[in-house]
Amino acid sequence: MNTQSLVLRKSDVLRATGFSPAGLERATRSGAFPRPFKLTPEGRAIGWSAAEVKGWLDQRIAERDAP
């Protein structure tokens, strides 16, 4: 399975980013962080694309390292 098809649950995203639950909600709502998607038709279970989260983290590192 490649990164493109991996799904991260909220606990994984919090651990990977260091966000608090409220911080993750704010960043997602403001559009500063990738939006989750529904894993079930009812929408009770949600997940994030691992590739999108990795891309977001890579961008933060690139911004830090920019001259």
Side-chain angles (χ1 to χ4, degrees):
M1 187 179 282
N2 64 28
T3 306
Q4 289 296 105
S5 60
L6 288 178
V7 175
L8 301 176
R9 297 301 300 265
K10 186 175 185 177
S11 61
D12 301 320
V13 173
L14 294 174
R15 190 171 26 262
T17 62
F19 278 130
S20 68
L24 176 60
E25 181 69 26
R26 278 192 303 274
T28 301
R29 211 178 290 152
S30 73
F33 191 76
R35 292 176 42 210
F37 54 91
K38 295 178 182 182
L39 297 175
T40 62
E42 302 82 30
R44 295 187 72 192
I46 61 171
W48 282 259
S49 161
E52 290 179 0
V53 172
K54 182 183 180 316
W56 183 87
L57 289 167
D58 290 345
Q59 182 62 36
R60 301 291 76 72
I61 293 168
E63 288 171 4
R64 177 200 66 192
D65 295 342

